[in-house]
């Protein structure tokens, strides 16, 4: 090793018979005029090579840590989310003396209770950015409306039928994004939309197409038709929510989005319950337990779905979410003793095909765009 002063080298003996390499930079000692250690000739190249090996090893270790994540974990979270949502829907069917609006109010209370600590922790505030509040308001209004209408549909029509109709949401999302966000809407999107509409028609079975004798429904056909209209409206509202969230993007924390959803939903539910004079606690202890379980399962389903979207691409998650329909059919047969008709099965196939096709197409477009950005 040599001692350098202002760029001139002087010999410096090693202290222990072995060379100790010291990390150096071009500026060390140059600007201050202080002595600095320089590697002896021949040692510099070896040290550089050693440092290069260490850096490459560290990078390889970091890359292996990233790849060490459990493969398929996001898809497992999606299946678990679908199962929790389906069980919550089954419990909703089992509640006898509680209106769907009151169930929605309890769901909003649970969401507020769990989201509030997150808002405080992340210091997001309770209103959000001034330019985004109008979007957050409509997100909360449309999202809570979709929940209330969906719960009503679950109560008055077969579980599988309502689930299948709500599954056409991705198709309507593409249509609304084309109208309001000027996103591309191709012939394939139109075909998927027609498939979804066909599936809904097969489930609703309007009398002017299928005659007045409609079989395989719960209760009267009037309630079945009301439930169908509520499910379709819920689907369109949910699709509008997705468009609003896409418009807002990442400029608003997702906790704020859920907060608006819960607060506006609770206010709307309380007003509606007083207007309809339907506010009452369940008479049966079983219904009270089911209300709590619905709130917990709905929150758990949202958490796992959010986690799935964080670690997995949206396309595979949307496709795997078709398990909602599978679980709905299974739970309806096992616990509600209601066999779906062939019309419902045909409608389910049409809707699942259209939503899966839409998800696959969007996924491939995102992959293609990512490759173009890399180039």
């Amino acid at each position: 090793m040599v001692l350098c002063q202002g760029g001139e080298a002087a010999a410096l003996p090693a202290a222990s018979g072995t060379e100790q390499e010291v990390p150096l930079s071009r500026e060390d000692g140059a600007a201050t005029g202080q002595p600095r250690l320089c590697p002896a000739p021949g040692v510099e190249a070896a040290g550089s090579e050693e440092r290069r090996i260490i850096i490459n090893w560290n990078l390889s270790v970091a890359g292996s840590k990233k790849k060490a994540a459990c493969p398929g974990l996001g898809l497992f979270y999606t299946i678990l989310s679908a199962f929790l949502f389906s069980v919550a829907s089954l419990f909703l069917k089992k509640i006898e003396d509680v209106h769907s609006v009151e169930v929605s109010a309890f769901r909003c209370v649970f969401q507020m209770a769990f989201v509030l600590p997150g808002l405080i922790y992340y210091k997001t505030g309770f209103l959000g950015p001034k330019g985004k509040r109008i979007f957050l308001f409509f997100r909360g209004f449309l999202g809570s409306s979709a929940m209330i209408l969906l719960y009503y549909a679950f109560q008055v029509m077969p579980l599988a039928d309502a689930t299948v109709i709500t599954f056409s949401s991705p198709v309507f999302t593409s249509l609304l994004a084309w109208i309001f966000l000027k996103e591309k809407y191709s012939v394939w999107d139109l075909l998927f939309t027609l498939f979804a509409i066909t599936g809904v028609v097969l489930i609703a079975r309007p009398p002017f197409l299928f005659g007045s004798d409609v079989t395989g429904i719960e209760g009267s056909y009037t309630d079945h038709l009301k439930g169908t209209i509520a499910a379709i409206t819920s689907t369109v509202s949910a699709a509008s929510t997705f468009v609003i969230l896409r418009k807002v993007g990442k400029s608003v924390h997702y906790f704020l989005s859920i907060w608006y959803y819960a607060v506006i939903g609770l206010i709307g539910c309380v007003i509606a319950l007083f207007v309809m004079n339907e506010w009452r606690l369940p008479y049966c202890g079983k219904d009270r337990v089911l209300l709590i379980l619905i709130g917990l399962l709905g929150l758990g389903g949202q958490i796992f779905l959010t986690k799935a979207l964080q670690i997995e691409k949206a396309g595979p998650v949307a496709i795997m979410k078709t398990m909602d329909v599978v679980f709905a059919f299974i739970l309806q047969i096992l616990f509600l003793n209601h066999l779906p008709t062939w019309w419902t099965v045909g409608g389910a196939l049409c809707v699942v095909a259209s939503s899966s096709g839409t998800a696959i197409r969007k996924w491939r477009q995102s992959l293609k765009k990512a490759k173009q950005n890399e180039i």
Side-chain angles (χ1 to χ4, degrees):
M1 190 71 70
V2 292
L3 181 63
C4 300
Q5 175 70 36
E8 296 181 0
L12 180 69
S16 60
T18 57
E19 291 288 335
Q20 300 290 329
E21 185 172 357
V22 181
L24 302 171
S25 65
R26 187 178 300 271
E27 292 80 13
D28 289 344
T32 61
Q34 298 297 322
R36 59 187 176 87
L37 290 177
C38 297
V43 179
E44 184 176 4
S48 300
E49 182 65 25
E50 183 179 352
R51 285 196 296 273
R52 190 179 302 111
I53 293 173
I54 293 174
I55 292 172
N56 290 337
W57 182 79
N58 289 333
L59 290 175
S60 64
V61 170
S64 63
K65 287 181 179 179
K66 290 182 180 179
K67 294 179 181 177
C70 180
L73 184 61
L75 300 182
F76 172 75
Y77 283 157
T78 307
I79 295 175
L80 186 57
S81 170
F83 178 74
L84 294 179
F85 280 134
S86 299
V87 175
S89 303
L90 174 66
F91 289 163
L92 181 61
K93 295 285 291 184
K94 290 290 188 179
I95 291 181
E96 299 176 355
D97 298 324
V98 182
H99 197 277
S100 59
V101 179
E102 188 172 351
V103 178
S104 304
F106 275 92
R107 168 81 179 272
C108 292
V109 169
F110 271 94
Q111 286 189 334
M112 289 176 62
F114 280 90
V115 170
L116 183 59
L119 293 178
I120 298 174
Y121 177 78
Y122 288 106
K123 299 178 181 179
T124 60
F126 297 98
L127 297 178
K130 290 185 177 180
K132 306 295 181 181
R133 291 175 186 174
I134 184 65
F135 295 107
L136 288 171
F137 172 80
F138 280 108
R139 181 267 183 272
F141 175 76
L142 292 171
S144 58
S145 299
M147 174 184 62
I148 296 170
L149 292 169
L150 178 61
Y151 281 3
Y152 175 77
F154 279 141
Q155 285 189 334
V156 300
M157 66 186 302
L159 179 63
D161 290 13
T163 303
V164 169
I165 292 176
T166 58
F167 230 79
S168 58
S169 178
V171 179
F172 289 106
T173 302
S174 298
L175 181 61
L176 293 176
W178 171 59
I179 296 174
F180 294 104
L181 301 181
K182 308 303 179 183
E183 293 186 3
K184 186 178 180 181
Y185 191 80
S186 66
V187 177
W188 283 105
D189 293 314
L190 177 60
L191 180 63
F192 295 144
T193 303
L194 294 177
F195 259 94
I197 294 175
T198 301
V200 172
V201 170
L202 291 177
I203 293 172
R205 280 164 284 166
F208 66 88
L209 290 178
F210 294 85
S212 58
D213 186 16
V214 180
T215 59
I217 61 175
E218 291 181 1
S220 64
Y221 180 76
T222 302
D223 289 338
H224 181 79
L225 187 59
K226 289 180 180 178
T228 302
I229 295 173
I232 295 173
T233 308
S234 171
T235 301
V236 176
S237 298
S240 303
T241 301
F242 294 149
V243 173
I244 292 175
L245 291 175
R246 192 178 298 177
K247 175 70 174 179
V248 173
K250 297 181 180 179
S251 60
V252 175
H253 198 281
Y254 66 91
F255 270 168
L256 264 176
S257 175
I258 301 175
W259 174 255
Y260 268 81
Y261 172 92
V263 171
I264 295 177
L266 180 60
I267 295 174
C269 288
V270 171
I271 294 174
L273 287 170
F274 276 106
V275 170
M276 297 185 299
N277 196 23
E278 289 284 352
W279 182 268
R280 61 179 183 272
L281 287 175
Y283 300 112
C284 176
K286 182 190 73 172
D287 286 349
R288 297 178 185 179
V289 174
L290 291 178
L291 272 177
I292 296 174
L293 290 177
I294 288 172
L296 292 176
L297 291 171
L299 181 65
Q302 280 194 339
I303 291 174
F304 281 114
L305 183 59
T306 303
K307 292 290 292 180
L309 290 170
Q310 286 178 343
I311 62 177
E312 186 61 78
K313 290 182 172 60
V317 171
I319 297 171
M320 191 57 65
K321 210 174 176 307
T322 55
M323 291 299 297
D324 280 358
V325 178
V326 176
F327 287 134
F329 274 101
I330 293 175
L331 295 177
Q332 177 176 298
I333 295 172
L334 292 180
F335 297 100
L336 301 177
N337 298 320
H338 186 88
L339 290 174
T341 64
W342 288 109
W343 294 113
T344 299
V345 174
L349 292 175
C350 288
V351 172
V352 169
S354 64
S355 60
S356 299
T358 302
I360 292 173
R361 186 173 177 276
K362 296 296 183 183
W363 179 31
R364 293 185 62 180
Q365 285 179 345
S366 63
L367 292 177
K368 185 178 179 181
K369 186 175 181 180
K371 289 182 179 179
Q372 289 177 349
N373 291 335
E374 290 179 358
I375 297 175

